[in-house]
Amino acid sequence: MIPGYRRRGPSRGIIHGMILSGFLMGVAGGTEARADPPAPSAVPAQPSPSAPVPAPDQSAPAQAAPAPAQSTSAQSAPVQAAPTQPAPVQPAPAVATGTLPAGSAQEAELGEEARAVRLLAAQIGLRAFTAPDFRPGKVRHIVLMRFLPTITDAQRAEVVRRFRALAQVSRRDNGQQVVAGIETGVQMSGEGADQGFDQAFVMTFNSEGDRNYYVGRPVVTDPAYFDPAHEAFKKFAAPYIIGVLVFDYELPAAQPQHARHASAPRPGLTQQQG
Protein backbone atom coordinates (compact mmCIF):
# COMPACT_ATOMS: atom_id res chain seq x y z
CA MET A 1 0.00 0.00 0.00
CA ILE A 2 1.28 3.43 -0.94
CA PRO A 3 1.98 5.60 2.06
CA GLY A 4 -0.54 8.33 2.66
CA TYR A 5 -3.16 6.58 0.53
CA ARG A 6 -6.37 5.53 2.20
CA ARG A 7 -8.77 3.14 0.51
CA ARG A 8 -12.09 4.83 -0.02
CA GLY A 9 -14.01 2.11 -1.91
CA PRO A 10 -15.34 2.56 -5.46
CA SER A 11 -14.61 5.77 -7.18
CA ARG A 12 -17.12 8.56 -7.04
CA GLY A 13 -17.55 8.45 -10.82
CA ILE A 14 -18.66 4.85 -10.72
CA ILE A 15 -21.06 5.41 -7.82
CA HIS A 16 -22.43 8.50 -9.53
CA GLY A 17 -22.95 6.51 -12.74
CA MET A 18 -24.85 3.79 -10.87
CA ILE A 19 -27.12 6.31 -9.17
CA LEU A 20 -27.75 8.01 -12.51
CA SER A 21 -28.61 4.66 -14.12
CA GLY A 22 -31.16 3.91 -11.38
CA PHE A 23 -32.71 7.31 -11.82
CA LEU A 24 -33.11 6.83 -15.57
CA MET A 25 -34.70 3.43 -15.02
CA GLY A 26 -37.26 4.94 -12.60
CA VAL A 27 -38.24 7.79 -14.92
CA ALA A 28 -39.41 7.28 -18.48
CA GLY A 29 -36.86 7.95 -21.20
CA GLY A 30 -36.43 11.46 -22.50
CA THR A 31 -35.54 13.22 -19.17
CA GLU A 32 -32.38 15.24 -19.50
CA ALA A 33 -29.44 13.88 -17.44
CA ARG A 34 -27.86 16.40 -15.11
CA ALA A 35 -24.42 14.73 -14.79
CA ASP A 36 -21.84 13.46 -17.17
CA PRO A 37 -22.04 9.72 -17.98
CA PRO A 38 -19.29 7.47 -16.61
CA ALA A 39 -16.09 7.05 -18.52
CA PRO A 40 -16.26 4.35 -21.20
CA SER A 41 -13.42 2.43 -19.58
CA ALA A 42 -15.09 2.30 -16.16
CA VAL A 43 -16.96 -0.89 -15.38
CA PRO A 44 -20.00 -0.13 -13.24
CA ALA A 45 -20.15 -2.18 -10.09
CA GLN A 46 -23.24 -3.51 -8.46
CA PRO A 47 -24.71 -0.90 -6.11
CA SER A 48 -24.50 -1.48 -2.44
CA PRO A 49 -27.71 -2.64 -0.82
CA SER A 50 -27.47 0.24 1.58
CA ALA A 51 -26.92 2.85 -1.11
CA PRO A 52 -29.98 5.12 -1.28
CA VAL A 53 -31.70 5.56 -4.64
CA PRO A 54 -33.06 9.06 -5.13
CA ALA A 55 -36.71 9.47 -6.04
CA PRO A 56 -37.58 10.77 -9.49
CA ASP A 57 -37.13 14.47 -9.93
CA GLN A 58 -40.58 16.07 -9.47
CA SER A 59 -39.34 19.32 -10.96
CA ALA A 60 -39.07 17.77 -14.43
CA PRO A 61 -41.85 18.90 -16.76
CA ALA A 62 -44.77 16.44 -16.94
CA GLN A 63 -44.85 16.52 -20.73
CA ALA A 64 -41.31 15.25 -20.93
CA ALA A 65 -42.51 11.67 -20.42
CA PRO A 66 -44.29 10.34 -23.51
CA ALA A 67 -47.72 8.71 -23.25
CA PRO A 68 -47.65 5.01 -22.38
CA ALA A 69 -49.39 4.14 -25.65
CA GLN A 70 -46.45 5.65 -27.55
CA SER A 71 -43.65 4.17 -25.44
CA THR A 72 -43.19 1.19 -27.72
CA SER A 73 -44.27 0.44 -31.23
CA ALA A 74 -45.64 -2.94 -30.13
CA GLN A 75 -48.21 -1.28 -27.86
CA SER A 76 -49.36 1.30 -30.40
CA ALA A 77 -49.67 -1.08 -33.36
CA PRO A 78 -53.27 -2.32 -33.89
CA VAL A 79 -53.87 -5.99 -33.50
CA GLN A 80 -54.50 -7.55 -36.88
CA ALA A 81 -57.27 -10.13 -36.85
CA ALA A 82 -56.47 -13.42 -38.44
CA PRO A 83 -58.05 -13.70 -41.89
CA THR A 84 -61.14 -15.86 -41.92
CA GLN A 85 -62.16 -18.10 -44.73
CA PRO A 86 -65.36 -16.88 -46.46
CA ALA A 87 -68.40 -19.07 -46.08
CA PRO A 88 -68.98 -21.31 -49.08
CA VAL A 89 -71.47 -19.84 -51.52
CA GLN A 90 -74.37 -22.13 -52.22
CA PRO A 91 -75.18 -22.38 -55.92
CA ALA A 92 -78.43 -20.78 -56.98
CA PRO A 93 -81.20 -23.20 -57.91
CA ALA A 94 -81.38 -23.96 -61.57
CA VAL A 95 -84.03 -22.01 -63.44
CA ALA A 96 -85.99 -23.91 -65.98
CA THR A 97 -85.33 -22.72 -69.50
CA GLY A 98 -86.59 -23.70 -72.90
CA THR A 99 -89.62 -22.59 -74.83
CA LEU A 100 -91.53 -21.09 -71.89
CA PRO A 101 -92.51 -17.42 -72.40
CA ALA A 102 -90.08 -14.86 -70.98
CA GLY A 103 -90.91 -13.80 -67.44
CA SER A 104 -92.83 -16.96 -66.56
CA ALA A 105 -92.44 -18.72 -63.20
CA GLN A 106 -90.02 -21.56 -62.80
CA GLU A 107 -91.23 -24.69 -64.51
CA ALA A 108 -90.59 -26.77 -61.41
CA GLU A 109 -93.20 -24.72 -59.50
CA LEU A 110 -95.93 -25.23 -62.11
CA GLY A 111 -98.37 -28.08 -62.46
CA GLU A 112 -98.39 -30.33 -65.49
CA GLU A 113 -101.29 -28.56 -67.15
CA ALA A 114 -99.82 -25.09 -66.54
CA ARG A 115 -96.54 -26.16 -68.13
CA ALA A 116 -98.43 -27.58 -71.11
CA VAL A 117 -100.39 -24.35 -71.63
CA ARG A 118 -97.28 -22.16 -71.53
CA LEU A 119 -95.39 -24.50 -73.80
CA LEU A 120 -98.26 -24.37 -76.28
CA ALA A 121 -98.22 -20.55 -76.21
CA ALA A 122 -94.50 -20.57 -77.01
CA GLN A 123 -94.91 -23.09 -79.83
CA ILE A 124 -97.80 -21.55 -81.77
CA GLY A 125 -97.16 -17.88 -80.90
CA LEU A 126 -99.19 -15.43 -78.86
CA ARG A 127 -101.23 -14.19 -81.83
CA ALA A 128 -102.75 -17.63 -82.43
CA PHE A 129 -102.84 -18.49 -78.71
CA THR A 130 -105.06 -15.49 -77.90
CA ALA A 131 -107.18 -15.48 -81.07
CA PRO A 132 -110.97 -15.61 -80.43
CA ASP A 133 -111.31 -18.74 -82.56
CA PHE A 134 -108.55 -20.69 -80.82
CA ARG A 135 -110.15 -23.89 -79.49
CA PRO A 136 -113.76 -22.73 -79.46
CA GLY A 137 -116.03 -24.07 -76.74
CA LYS A 138 -117.25 -23.01 -73.30
CA VAL A 139 -114.54 -22.53 -70.68
CA ARG A 140 -115.19 -21.92 -66.99
CA HIS A 141 -112.73 -19.72 -65.12
CA ILE A 142 -113.17 -19.89 -61.32
CA VAL A 143 -111.46 -17.35 -59.06
CA LEU A 144 -111.53 -17.54 -55.24
CA MET A 145 -110.32 -14.52 -53.25
CA ARG A 146 -109.21 -14.15 -49.64
CA PHE A 147 -109.39 -10.52 -48.59
CA LEU A 148 -107.22 -8.60 -46.17
CA PRO A 149 -108.73 -8.87 -42.65
CA THR A 150 -108.76 -5.08 -42.31
CA ILE A 151 -110.66 -4.46 -45.55
CA THR A 152 -113.74 -2.30 -45.12
CA ASP A 153 -117.16 -3.13 -46.49
CA ALA A 154 -116.88 -0.26 -48.96
CA GLN A 155 -113.50 -1.45 -50.23
CA ARG A 156 -114.73 -5.01 -50.64
CA ALA A 157 -117.83 -3.84 -52.48
CA GLU A 158 -115.65 -1.80 -54.85
CA VAL A 159 -113.45 -4.81 -55.62
CA VAL A 160 -116.53 -6.90 -56.43
CA ARG A 161 -118.08 -4.12 -58.52
CA ARG A 162 -114.96 -3.67 -60.63
CA PHE A 163 -114.59 -7.40 -61.13
CA ARG A 164 -118.16 -7.74 -62.38
CA ALA A 165 -117.66 -4.76 -64.68
CA LEU A 166 -115.02 -6.74 -66.59
CA ALA A 167 -117.87 -8.51 -68.38
CA GLN A 168 -118.50 -5.21 -70.18
CA VAL A 169 -115.13 -3.43 -70.28
CA SER A 170 -112.94 -6.39 -71.29
CA ARG A 171 -112.83 -6.05 -75.06
CA ARG A 172 -110.40 -6.54 -77.89
CA ASP A 173 -109.00 -3.75 -80.00
CA ASN A 174 -111.87 -4.16 -82.48
CA GLY A 175 -114.44 -3.86 -79.66
CA GLN A 176 -115.26 -7.57 -79.54
CA GLN A 177 -116.38 -8.71 -76.08
CA VAL A 178 -114.04 -11.16 -74.32
CA VAL A 179 -116.05 -12.35 -71.29
CA ALA A 180 -119.28 -14.23 -71.94
CA GLY A 181 -120.57 -13.98 -68.34
CA ILE A 182 -119.63 -13.50 -64.67
CA GLU A 183 -121.23 -14.83 -61.49
CA THR A 184 -120.11 -13.99 -57.97
CA GLY A 185 -121.05 -14.82 -54.40
CA VAL A 186 -119.88 -14.80 -50.78
CA GLN A 187 -118.66 -17.99 -49.06
CA MET A 188 -121.49 -19.62 -47.09
CA SER A 189 -120.39 -23.24 -46.65
CA GLY A 190 -120.40 -24.71 -43.14
CA GLU A 191 -118.07 -27.61 -43.95
CA GLY A 192 -114.99 -25.76 -42.76
CA ALA A 193 -113.05 -26.52 -45.95
CA ASP A 194 -113.10 -23.03 -47.43
CA GLN A 195 -109.48 -22.32 -46.32
CA GLY A 196 -110.41 -18.74 -45.55
CA PHE A 197 -111.51 -17.71 -49.05
CA ASP A 198 -114.21 -15.06 -48.90
CA GLN A 199 -115.52 -14.45 -52.42
CA ALA A 200 -115.98 -16.58 -55.54
CA PHE A 201 -116.18 -15.47 -59.16
CA VAL A 202 -117.23 -17.84 -61.93
CA MET A 203 -116.51 -16.60 -65.42
CA THR A 204 -117.45 -18.09 -68.79
CA PHE A 205 -115.56 -17.72 -72.07
CA ASN A 206 -116.56 -18.86 -75.54
CA SER A 207 -113.09 -20.16 -76.39
CA GLU A 208 -109.71 -20.87 -74.90
CA GLY A 209 -108.37 -18.00 -76.98
CA ASP A 210 -110.70 -15.55 -75.20
CA ARG A 211 -109.66 -17.02 -71.85
CA ASN A 212 -106.00 -16.68 -72.75
CA TYR A 213 -106.42 -13.06 -73.88
CA TYR A 214 -108.28 -12.18 -70.66
CA VAL A 215 -105.85 -13.89 -68.25
CA GLY A 216 -102.72 -12.20 -69.59
CA ARG A 217 -99.83 -12.34 -67.13
CA PRO A 218 -98.13 -14.58 -66.18
CA VAL A 219 -99.11 -16.77 -69.14
CA VAL A 220 -99.07 -13.99 -71.75
CA THR A 221 -96.48 -11.28 -71.10
CA ASP A 222 -96.76 -9.14 -74.24
CA PRO A 223 -99.24 -6.27 -73.65
CA ALA A 224 -100.28 -6.47 -77.30
CA TYR A 225 -101.92 -9.83 -76.60
CA PHE A 226 -103.70 -9.46 -73.26
CA ASP A 227 -106.64 -7.52 -71.83
CA PRO A 228 -105.63 -4.08 -70.45
CA ALA A 229 -108.85 -3.81 -68.40
CA HIS A 230 -108.10 -7.02 -66.50
CA GLU A 231 -104.51 -5.91 -65.94
CA ALA A 232 -105.74 -2.61 -64.48
CA PHE A 233 -108.15 -4.46 -62.16
CA LYS A 234 -105.36 -6.69 -60.81
CA LYS A 235 -103.29 -3.64 -59.92
CA PHE A 236 -106.27 -2.03 -58.15
CA ALA A 237 -107.30 -5.13 -56.16
CA ALA A 238 -103.83 -6.36 -55.17
CA PRO A 239 -103.59 -4.28 -51.93
CA TYR A 240 -106.85 -5.80 -50.64
CA ILE A 241 -106.18 -9.47 -51.46
CA ILE A 242 -103.93 -11.88 -49.57
CA GLY A 243 -104.82 -15.09 -51.39
CA VAL A 244 -106.15 -16.20 -54.78
CA LEU A 245 -107.07 -19.63 -56.14
CA VAL A 246 -107.77 -20.11 -59.85
CA PHE A 247 -109.30 -23.18 -61.46
CA ASP A 248 -110.26 -23.53 -65.13
CA TYR A 249 -112.10 -26.33 -66.89
CA GLU A 250 -113.69 -26.94 -70.25
CA LEU A 251 -117.38 -27.68 -70.56
CA PRO A 252 -118.12 -30.79 -72.61
CA ALA A 253 -119.49 -30.06 -76.03
CA ALA A 254 -123.10 -30.98 -76.65
CA GLN A 255 -123.27 -34.37 -78.33
CA PRO A 256 -125.49 -34.89 -81.39
CA GLN A 257 -128.87 -36.49 -80.66
CA HIS A 258 -128.10 -39.67 -82.54
CA ALA A 259 -124.80 -40.22 -80.76
CA ARG A 260 -126.50 -40.92 -77.45
CA HIS A 261 -128.44 -43.85 -79.00
CA ALA A 262 -125.60 -45.36 -80.97
CA SER A 263 -124.79 -47.97 -78.34
CA ALA A 264 -127.18 -50.73 -77.33
CA PRO A 265 -128.76 -50.39 -73.86
CA ARG A 266 -127.34 -52.50 -71.07
CA PRO A 267 -129.42 -55.38 -69.81
CA GLY A 268 -131.98 -54.42 -67.23
CA LEU A 269 -132.13 -50.77 -68.31
CA THR A 270 -134.81 -49.17 -70.45
CA GLN A 271 -133.49 -47.04 -73.26
CA GLN A 272 -134.71 -43.47 -72.91
CA GLN A 273 -136.29 -41.72 -75.86
CA GLY A 274 -136.11 -38.04 -76.84
Side-chain angles (χ1 to χ4, degrees), residues 173-234:
D173 294 338
N174 60 1
Q176 182 178 354
Q177 190 171 346
V178 178
V179 182
I182 296 180
E183 298 177 7
T184 185
V186 179
Q187 200 292 119
M188 56 172 292
S189 172
E191 299 178 63
D194 54 90
Q195 299 185 17
F197 289 101
D198 305 293
Q199 191 89 18
F201 299 89
V202 181
M203 309 182 70
T204 303
F205 298 92
N206 290 325
S207 68
E208 289 190 30
D210 282 343
R211 188 275 314 268
N212 298 338
Y213 180 83
Y214 166 82
V215 169
R217 292 190 175 99
V219 182
V220 180
T221 58
D222 188 343
Y225 298 103
F226 64 69
D227 179 19
H230 183 213
E231 187 70 15
F233 168 79
K234 288 189 287 187

Side-chain angles (χ1 to χ4, degrees), residues 20 23-24 27-37 56-57 59-61 63-66:
L20 181 60
F23 174 79
L24 295 179
V27 181
T31 303
E32 183 180 359
R34 297 189 297 180
D36 296 334
D57 189 0
S59 63
Q63 63 273 15

Side-chain angles (χ1 to χ4, degrees), residues 95-124:
V95 178
T97 58
T99 56
L100 292 179
S104 61
Q106 296 184 11
E107 184 178 4
E109 300 177 358
L110 300 176
E112 180 180 355
E113 186 62 30
R115 290 197 300 269
V117 170
R118 300 186 187 201
L119 180 60
L120 178 63
Q123 289 176 340
I124 68 175

Side-chain angles (χ1 to χ4, degrees), residues 96 129 143 166 247:
F129 183 72
V143 180
L166 292 175
F247 190 97

Side-chain angles (χ1 to χ4, degrees), residues 20 42-43 55 71 75 89 122 128 132 175 191 255:
L20 181 60
V43 179
S71 60
Q75 295 178 353
V89 179
E191 299 178 63
Q255 296 179 353

